[in-house]
Amino acid sequence: MVSRGSVGHPMLDGINYWDELKNSPSQMELCFAIFANVLEFDDEGEPLNEKYAERRAALWLYKYCKGELPPGEVDL
């Protein structure tokens, strides 16, 4: 989803993060790492906290693009 520019998290509405990341594969890799680092799975391999992991990645994307976190958010 990130590589297509369509994460879809409401926090990223109006932010064209794809323009920021498309020429920076290492930053895109970091975004994926943030998502994967917090993702947990149950015994059947189903994700337990996919929305939380998506929100963490969206927070990072927001900060990367805007230089600051959204109002009221705590630093990662």
Coordinates of all heavy atoms in Angstrom, one line a residue:
M1 N 0.8 -1.2 0.0 CA 0.0 0.0 0.0 C 0.9 1.3 0.0 O 0.5 2.2 -0.7 CB -0.9 0.0 1.2 CG -1.9 -1.2 1.2 SD -3.4 -0.8 0.5 CE -4.4 -0.4 1.8
V2 N 1.9 1.3 0.8 CA 2.8 2.5 0.9 C 3.4 2.7 -0.5 O 3.4 3.9 -1.0 CB 3.9 2.3 1.9 CG1 4.9 3.4 1.8 CG2 3.3 2.2 3.3
S3 N 3.9 1.7 -1.2 CA 4.6 1.9 -2.4 C 3.6 2.3 -3.5 O 4.1 2.8 -4.6 CB 5.3 0.6 -2.8 OG 4.3 -0.5 -3.0
R4 N 2.3 2.2 -3.3 CA 1.4 2.7 -4.3 C 0.8 4.1 -3.9 O 0.0 4.7 -4.7 CB 0.2 1.8 -4.5 CG 0.5 0.5 -5.1 CD -0.7 -0.3 -5.4 NE -1.7 -0.1 -4.3 CZ -2.5 -1.1 -3.9 NH1 -2.4 -2.3 -4.4 NH2 -3.4 -0.8 -3.0
G5 N 1.2 4.6 -2.8 CA 0.7 5.9 -2.3 C -0.7 5.8 -1.8 O -1.4 6.8 -1.8
S6 N -1.1 4.7 -1.3 CA -2.5 4.5 -0.8 C -2.6 3.9 0.5 O -3.3 2.9 0.7 CB -3.3 3.8 -1.9 OG -2.8 2.5 -2.0
V7 N -1.9 4.4 1.5 CA -2.0 3.8 2.9 C -3.5 3.9 3.3 O -4.0 3.0 3.9 CB -1.0 4.5 3.9 CG1 -1.4 4.1 5.3 CG2 0.4 4.1 3.5
G8 N -4.1 5.1 3.2 CA -5.5 5.2 3.5 C -5.7 5.6 5.0 O -6.9 5.6 5.4
H9 N -4.7 5.8 5.8 CA -5.0 6.2 7.2 C -5.4 7.6 7.2 O -4.8 8.5 6.5 CB -3.7 6.0 8.0 CG -3.9 6.0 9.5 ND1 -4.2 7.1 10.2 CD2 -4.1 5.0 10.3 CE1 -4.4 6.8 11.4 NE2 -4.3 5.5 11.5
P10 N -6.5 7.9 7.9 CA -7.1 9.3 8.0 C -6.0 10.4 8.4 O -6.1 11.5 7.9 CB -8.2 9.2 9.0 CG -8.5 7.8 9.2 CD -7.3 7.0 8.8
M11 N -5.1 10.0 9.1 CA -4.0 10.9 9.6 C -3.2 11.5 8.4 O -2.7 12.6 8.4 CB -3.1 10.2 10.5 CG -2.0 11.1 11.1 SD -0.8 10.1 12.1 CE -1.9 9.1 13.1
L12 N -3.2 10.7 7.3 CA -2.4 11.1 6.1 C -3.2 11.8 5.0 O -2.7 12.1 4.0 CB -1.7 9.9 5.6 CG -0.8 9.2 6.5 CD1 -0.2 7.9 5.9 CD2 0.4 10.1 6.9
D13 N -4.5 12.1 5.3 CA -5.3 12.8 4.3 C -4.7 14.1 4.0 O -4.3 14.9 4.8 CB -6.8 13.0 4.9 CG -7.6 11.8 4.9 OD1 -7.2 10.7 4.3 OD2 -8.7 11.8 5.5
G14 N -4.6 14.3 2.7 CA -4.0 15.6 2.2 C -2.5 15.6 2.2 O -1.9 16.6 1.8
I15 N -1.8 14.5 2.6 CA -0.3 14.5 2.6 C 0.1 13.6 1.4 O -0.3 12.4 1.4 CB 0.2 13.9 3.9 CG1 -0.2 14.9 5.1 CG2 1.7 13.8 3.8 CD1 0.2 14.4 6.4
N16 N 0.8 14.1 0.5 CA 1.3 13.3 -0.6 C 2.7 12.7 -0.3 O 3.7 13.1 -0.8 CB 1.4 14.2 -1.9 CG 1.7 13.4 -3.1 OD1 1.8 12.2 -3.1 ND2 1.7 14.1 -4.2
Y17 N 2.6 11.7 0.6 CA 3.8 11.1 1.1 C 4.6 10.3 0.0 O 5.8 10.2 0.0 CB 3.6 10.2 2.3 CG 2.7 9.0 2.0 CD1 3.2 7.9 1.4 CD2 1.3 9.1 2.2 CE1 2.4 6.8 1.1 CE2 0.5 8.0 1.9 CZ 1.0 6.9 1.4 OH 0.2 5.9 1.1
W18 N 3.8 9.9 -1.0 CA 4.5 9.1 -2.1 C 5.5 10.0 -2.8 O 6.6 9.5 -3.1 CB 3.4 8.7 -3.1 CG 4.0 8.0 -4.3 CD1 3.9 8.3 -5.6 CD2 4.9 6.8 -4.3 NE1 4.6 7.5 -6.4 CE2 5.2 6.5 -5.6 CE3 5.4 6.0 -3.3 CZ2 6.0 5.4 -6.0 CZ3 6.2 4.9 -3.6 CH2 6.5 4.6 -5.0
D19 N 5.3 11.3 -3.0 CA 6.3 12.1 -3.6 C 7.5 12.2 -2.7 O 8.6 12.4 -3.2 CB 5.7 13.6 -3.8 CG 4.9 13.6 -5.1 OD1 4.9 12.7 -5.9 OD2 4.2 14.6 -5.3
E20 N 7.4 12.2 -1.4 CA 8.5 12.2 -0.5 C 9.3 10.9 -0.5 O 10.5 11.0 -0.3 CB 8.0 12.5 0.9 CG 7.3 13.8 1.1 CD 8.2 15.0 1.0 OE1 9.4 14.9 1.3 OE2 7.7 16.1 0.6
L21 N 8.6 9.8 -0.7 CA 9.3 8.5 -0.5 C 9.7 7.8 -1.8 O 10.6 7.0 -1.7 CB 8.4 7.5 0.3 CG 8.0 7.9 1.7 CD1 7.1 6.8 2.3 CD2 9.3 8.0 2.5
K22 N 9.1 8.2 -2.9 CA 9.4 7.4 -4.1 C 10.9 7.4 -4.6 O 11.3 6.4 -5.2 CB 8.5 7.9 -5.3 CG 8.8 9.2 -5.8 CD 7.8 9.6 -6.9 CE 8.0 11.0 -7.4 NZ 7.0 11.4 -8.3
N23 N 11.6 8.4 -4.2 CA 13.0 8.4 -4.6 C 13.9 8.1 -3.4 O 15.1 8.4 -3.5 CB 13.4 9.8 -5.2 CG 12.7 10.0 -6.5 OD1 12.5 9.1 -7.3 ND2 12.2 11.2 -6.7
S24 N 13.4 7.6 -2.4 CA 14.2 7.3 -1.2 C 13.8 5.9 -0.6 O 13.1 5.8 0.4 CB 13.9 8.4 -0.1 OG 14.7 8.2 1.0
P25 N 14.3 4.9 -1.3 CA 13.9 3.5 -0.8 C 14.3 3.2 0.6 O 13.6 2.5 1.3 CB 14.7 2.6 -1.8 CG 15.5 3.5 -2.7 CD 15.2 4.9 -2.4
S26 N 15.4 3.8 1.1 CA 15.7 3.6 2.5 C 14.7 4.1 3.5 O 14.4 3.5 4.5 CB 17.1 4.1 2.8 OG 17.2 5.5 2.7
Q27 N 14.1 5.2 3.2 CA 13.0 5.8 4.0 C 11.8 4.9 3.9 O 11.1 4.7 4.9 CB 12.7 7.2 3.7 CG 13.9 8.2 3.9 CD 14.3 8.2 5.4 OE1 13.5 8.1 6.3 NE2 15.6 8.2 5.6
M28 N 11.5 4.4 2.8 CA 10.3 3.5 2.6 C 10.6 2.2 3.4 O 9.7 1.7 4.1 CB 10.1 3.2 1.1 CG 8.7 2.5 0.9 SD 8.3 2.3 -0.8 CE 8.2 3.9 -1.4
E29 N 11.8 1.7 3.4 CA 12.1 0.5 4.1 C 12.0 0.8 5.6 O 11.5 -0.1 6.3 CB 13.6 0.1 3.8 CG 14.0 -1.1 4.5 CD 15.5 -1.5 4.1 OE1 16.2 -0.6 3.6 OE2 15.8 -2.6 4.4
L30 N 12.3 1.9 6.1 CA 12.2 2.3 7.5 C 10.7 2.3 7.9 O 10.3 1.8 8.9 CB 12.8 3.7 7.8 CG 12.8 4.2 9.2 CD1 13.4 3.2 10.1 CD2 13.5 5.5 9.3
C31 N 9.9 2.8 7.0 CA 8.4 2.8 7.3 C 7.9 1.4 7.4 O 7.1 1.1 8.3 CB 7.7 3.6 6.1 SG 5.9 3.7 6.4
F32 N 8.3 0.5 6.5 CA 7.9 -0.9 6.6 C 8.4 -1.5 7.9 O 7.7 -2.3 8.5 CB 8.4 -1.7 5.4 CG 7.6 -1.5 4.2 CD1 8.1 -0.9 3.1 CD2 6.3 -1.9 4.1 CE1 7.3 -0.7 1.9 CE2 5.5 -1.8 3.0 CZ 6.0 -1.2 1.9
A33 N 9.6 -1.2 8.3 CA 10.2 -1.7 9.5 C 9.4 -1.3 10.7 O 9.2 -2.1 11.6 CB 11.7 -1.3 9.6
I34 N 9.0 0.0 10.8 CA 8.2 0.4 11.9 C 6.9 -0.3 12.0 O 6.5 -0.8 13.0 CB 7.9 2.0 11.7 CG1 9.2 2.7 12.0 CG2 6.8 2.4 12.7 CD1 9.2 4.2 11.6
F35 N 6.3 -0.6 10.8 CA 5.0 -1.3 10.8 C 5.3 -2.8 11.3 O 4.6 -3.3 12.2 CB 4.5 -1.4 9.4 CG 3.2 -2.2 9.2 CD1 2.0 -1.7 9.6 CD2 3.3 -3.5 8.7 CE1 0.9 -2.5 9.4 CE2 2.2 -4.3 8.6 CZ 1.0 -3.8 8.9
A36 N 6.3 -3.4 10.7 CA 6.5 -4.8 11.0 C 7.0 -5.0 12.5 O 6.8 -6.1 13.1 CB 7.5 -5.4 10.0
N37 N 7.7 -4.0 13.0 CA 8.4 -4.2 14.3 C 7.3 -4.3 15.4 O 7.6 -5.0 16.4 CB 9.3 -3.0 14.6 CG 10.1 -3.2 15.8 OD1 10.7 -4.2 16.0 ND2 10.1 -2.2 16.7
V38 N 6.2 -3.7 15.3 CA 5.2 -3.7 16.3 C 4.0 -4.7 16.0 O 3.2 -5.0 16.9 CB 4.6 -2.3 16.6 CG1 5.6 -1.4 17.1 CG2 3.9 -1.8 15.4
L39 N 4.0 -5.3 14.8 CA 2.9 -6.2 14.4 C 3.1 -7.5 15.2 O 4.1 -8.1 15.3 CB 3.0 -6.5 12.9 CG 1.8 -7.2 12.3 CD1 0.6 -6.4 12.5 CD2 2.1 -7.4 10.8
E40 N 1.9 -8.0 15.8 CA 1.9 -9.3 16.5 C 0.9 -10.2 15.9 O -0.1 -9.8 15.3 CB 1.5 -9.0 18.0 CG 2.5 -8.1 18.7 CD 2.0 -7.8 20.1 OE1 0.9 -8.2 20.5 OE2 2.7 -7.1 20.8
F41 N 1.1 -11.5 16.0 CA 0.3 -12.5 15.4 C -0.2 -13.5 16.4 O 0.5 -13.8 17.4 CB 1.1 -13.3 14.3 CG 1.5 -12.4 13.2 CD1 2.7 -11.8 13.2 CD2 0.7 -12.1 12.1 CE1 3.1 -10.9 12.1 CE2 1.0 -11.3 11.1 CZ 2.3 -10.7 11.1
D42 N -1.4 -14.1 16.2 CA -1.8 -15.2 17.1 C -1.2 -16.5 16.6 O -0.4 -16.5 15.7 CB -3.4 -15.2 17.1 CG -4.0 -15.6 15.8 OD1 -3.3 -16.1 14.9 OD2 -5.2 -15.3 15.7
D43 N -1.7 -17.6 17.3 CA -1.1 -18.9 16.9 C -1.4 -19.4 15.5 O -0.7 -20.2 15.0 CB -1.6 -19.9 18.0 CG -1.0 -19.7 19.4 OD1 0.0 -19.0 19.5 OD2 -1.7 -20.1 20.3
E44 N -2.5 -18.8 14.9 CA -2.8 -19.2 13.6 C -2.2 -18.3 12.5 O -2.5 -18.4 11.3 CB -4.4 -19.2 13.4 CG -5.1 -20.4 14.1 CD -5.2 -20.2 15.6 OE1 -5.5 -19.0 16.0 OE2 -5.0 -21.1 16.3
G45 N -1.4 -17.3 13.0 CA -0.7 -16.4 12.0 C -1.6 -15.2 11.7 O -1.2 -14.5 10.7
E46 N -2.7 -15.0 12.3 CA -3.5 -13.8 12.1 C -3.0 -12.6 12.9 O -2.7 -12.8 14.0 CB -5.0 -14.1 12.4 CG -5.6 -15.2 11.6 CD -5.7 -14.8 10.1 OE1 -6.1 -13.7 9.8 OE2 -5.4 -15.7 9.3
P47 N -3.0 -11.5 12.2 CA -2.5 -10.3 13.0 C -3.4 -9.9 14.1 O -4.6 -9.9 14.0 CB -2.4 -9.2 11.9 CG -3.3 -9.7 10.8 CD -3.3 -11.1 10.9
L48 N -2.8 -9.5 15.2 CA -3.6 -9.1 16.4 C -3.7 -7.6 16.5 O -4.7 -7.1 17.1 CB -2.9 -9.7 17.7 CG -2.9 -11.2 17.8 CD1 -2.0 -11.5 19.0 CD2 -4.3 -11.7 18.0
N49 N -2.8 -6.9 16.0 CA -2.8 -5.4 16.2 C -2.4 -4.7 14.9 O -1.7 -3.7 14.9 CB -1.8 -5.1 17.3 CG -0.4 -5.4 17.0 OD1 -0.1 -6.3 16.1 ND2 0.6 -4.9 17.7
E50 N -3.0 -5.1 13.8 CA -2.7 -4.5 12.5 C -3.0 -3.0 12.5 O -2.2 -2.3 11.9 CB -3.5 -5.2 11.4 CG -3.1 -4.8 10.0 CD -3.8 -5.6 9.0 OE1 -4.6 -6.4 9.3 OE2 -3.5 -5.3 7.8
K51 N -4.1 -2.6 13.1 CA -4.5 -1.2 13.0 C -3.5 -0.4 13.9 O -3.1 0.8 13.5 CB -5.9 -1.0 13.6 CG -6.9 -1.5 12.6 CD -6.9 -0.7 11.3 CE -7.9 -1.2 10.4 NZ -7.8 -0.6 9.0
Y52 N -3.0 -0.9 15.0 CA -2.0 -0.2 15.8 C -0.7 -0.1 15.0 O -0.1 1.0 14.9 CB -1.7 -1.0 17.1 CG -0.5 -0.4 17.8 CD1 -0.7 0.8 18.5 CD2 0.7 -1.1 17.9 CE1 0.4 1.4 19.2 CE2 1.7 -0.5 18.6 CZ 1.6 0.7 19.3 OH 2.7 1.2 20.0
A53 N -0.2 -1.1 14.3 CA 1.0 -1.1 13.5 C 0.8 -0.1 12.3 O 1.7 0.7 12.0 CB 1.3 -2.5 12.9
E54 N -0.4 -0.1 11.7 CA -0.6 0.9 10.6 C -0.6 2.3 11.2 O 0.0 3.2 10.5 CB -2.0 0.6 10.0 CG -2.4 1.5 8.9 CD -3.8 1.3 8.4 OE1 -4.4 0.4 8.8 OE2 -4.2 2.1 7.5
R55 N -1.1 2.5 12.4 CA -1.1 3.9 12.9 C 0.3 4.3 13.3 O 0.7 5.5 13.0 CB -1.9 3.9 14.2 CG -2.1 5.3 14.8 CD -3.2 5.3 15.9 NE -3.5 6.6 16.3 CZ -2.7 7.4 17.0 NH1 -1.5 7.0 17.4 NH2 -3.1 8.6 17.3
R56 N 1.2 3.4 13.8 CA 2.6 3.8 14.0 C 3.3 4.2 12.8 O 4.0 5.1 12.7 CB 3.3 2.6 14.7 CG 2.9 2.3 16.1 CD 3.5 3.4 17.1 NE 4.9 3.5 17.0 CZ 5.8 3.0 17.8 NH1 5.4 2.2 18.8 NH2 7.1 3.2 17.7
A57 N 3.1 3.4 11.7 CA 3.7 3.7 10.4 C 3.2 5.1 9.9 O 3.9 5.9 9.3 CB 3.5 2.6 9.4
A58 N 1.9 5.3 10.0 CA 1.3 6.6 9.6 C 1.8 7.7 10.4 O 2.1 8.8 9.8 CB -0.3 6.5 9.7
L59 N 2.0 7.6 11.7 CA 2.6 8.6 12.5 C 4.1 9.0 12.0 O 4.4 10.1 11.9 CB 2.7 8.2 14.0 CG 1.5 8.4 14.8 CD1 1.7 7.8 16.2 CD2 1.2 9.9 15.0
W60 N 4.8 7.9 11.7 CA 6.2 8.1 11.1 C 6.1 8.9 9.8 O 6.9 9.8 9.6 CB 6.9 6.8 11.0 CG 8.3 7.1 10.5 CD1 9.4 7.4 11.2 CD2 8.7 7.1 9.1 NE1 10.5 7.6 10.4 CE2 10.1 7.4 9.1 CE3 8.0 6.8 7.9 CZ2 10.8 7.5 7.9 CZ3 8.8 6.9 6.8 CH2 10.1 7.3 6.8
L61 N 5.2 8.4 8.9 CA 5.1 9.1 7.6 C 4.7 10.6 7.8 O 5.2 11.4 7.1 CB 4.0 8.4 6.8 CG 4.4 7.2 6.0 CD1 3.2 6.5 5.4 CD2 5.4 7.6 4.9
Y62 N 3.7 10.8 8.7 CA 3.3 12.2 8.9 C 4.5 13.1 9.4 O 4.8 14.1 8.9 CB 2.2 12.2 10.0 CG 1.6 13.6 10.2 CD1 0.4 13.9 9.6 CD2 2.2 14.5 11.0 CE1 -0.2 15.1 9.8 CE2 1.6 15.8 11.2 CZ 0.4 16.0 10.6 OH -0.2 17.3 10.8
K63 N 5.2 12.5 10.4 CA 6.4 13.3 10.9 C 7.5 13.5 9.8 O 8.1 14.5 9.7 CB 7.0 12.6 12.1 CG 8.1 13.3 12.8 CD 8.5 12.7 14.1 CE 9.6 13.5 14.7 NZ 10.1 12.8 16.0
Y64 N 7.7 12.4 9.0 CA 8.7 12.5 7.9 C 8.3 13.6 6.9 O 9.2 14.4 6.5 CB 8.8 11.2 7.2 CG 9.8 11.2 6.1 CD1 11.2 11.1 6.4 CD2 9.4 11.2 4.8 CE1 12.2 11.2 5.4 CE2 10.4 11.2 3.8 CZ 11.7 11.2 4.1 OH 12.7 11.2 3.1
C65 N 7.0 13.7 6.6 CA 6.6 14.6 5.6 C 6.4 16.0 6.1 O 6.6 17.0 5.4 CB 5.3 14.1 4.9 SG 5.5 12.6 4.0
K66 N 5.9 16.2 7.3 CA 5.6 17.5 7.9 C 6.7 18.0 8.8 O 6.6 19.2 9.2 CB 4.3 17.4 8.7 CG 3.1 17.0 7.9 CD 2.7 18.3 7.1 CE 1.2 18.1 6.6 NZ 0.7 19.3 6.0
G67 N 7.6 17.2 9.3 CA 8.6 17.7 10.2 C 8.2 17.7 11.7 O 8.9 18.1 12.5
E68 N 6.9 17.3 11.9 CA 6.4 17.3 13.3 C 5.3 16.3 13.4 O 4.7 15.9 12.3 CB 5.9 18.7 13.7 CG 4.8 19.2 12.8 CD 4.4 20.6 13.1 OE1 5.2 21.3 13.8 OE2 3.4 21.1 12.7
L69 N 4.9 15.9 14.6 CA 3.8 15.0 14.7 C 2.5 15.8 14.7 O 2.4 17.0 14.9 CB 3.9 14.3 16.1 CG 5.0 13.3 16.2 CD1 5.1 12.8 17.7 CD2 4.7 12.1 15.3
P70 N 1.4 15.1 14.4 CA 0.1 15.8 14.5 C -0.2 16.3 15.9 O 0.4 15.8 16.8 CB -0.9 14.6 14.2 CG -0.2 13.5 13.5 CD 1.2 13.7 14.1
P71 N -1.0 17.4 16.0 CA -1.2 17.9 17.3 C -1.8 16.9 18.3 O -2.6 16.1 17.9 CB -2.3 19.0 17.0 CG -2.1 19.3 15.6 CD -1.6 18.1 14.9
G72 N -1.2 16.9 19.5 CA -1.7 16.0 20.5 C -1.0 14.6 20.5 O -1.3 13.8 21.4
E73 N -0.2 14.3 19.6 CA 0.5 13.0 19.5 C 1.8 13.1 20.2 O 2.5 14.1 20.3 CB 0.7 12.6 18.0 CG -0.5 12.4 17.2 CD -1.2 11.1 17.7 OE1 -0.6 10.2 18.3 OE2 -2.5 11.0 17.4
V74 N 2.1 11.9 20.8 CA 3.4 11.7 21.6 C 4.4 11.2 20.6 O 4.1 10.4 19.7 CB 3.2 10.8 22.7 CG1 4.5 10.6 23.5 CG2 2.1 11.3 23.6
D75 N 5.7 11.6 20.8 CA 6.7 11.2 19.9 C 6.9 9.7 19.9 O 6.7 9.1 21.0 CB 8.1 11.9 20.2 CG 9.0 11.9 19.1 OD1 8.7 11.3 18.0 OD2 10.1 12.6 19.2
L76 N 7.3 9.1 18.8 CA 7.5 7.7 18.7 C 8.6 7.2 19.6 O 9.5 7.1 19.8 CB 7.7 7.3 17.2 CG 6.7 7.7 16.2 CD1 7.1 7.4 14.8 CD2 5.4 7.0 16.5

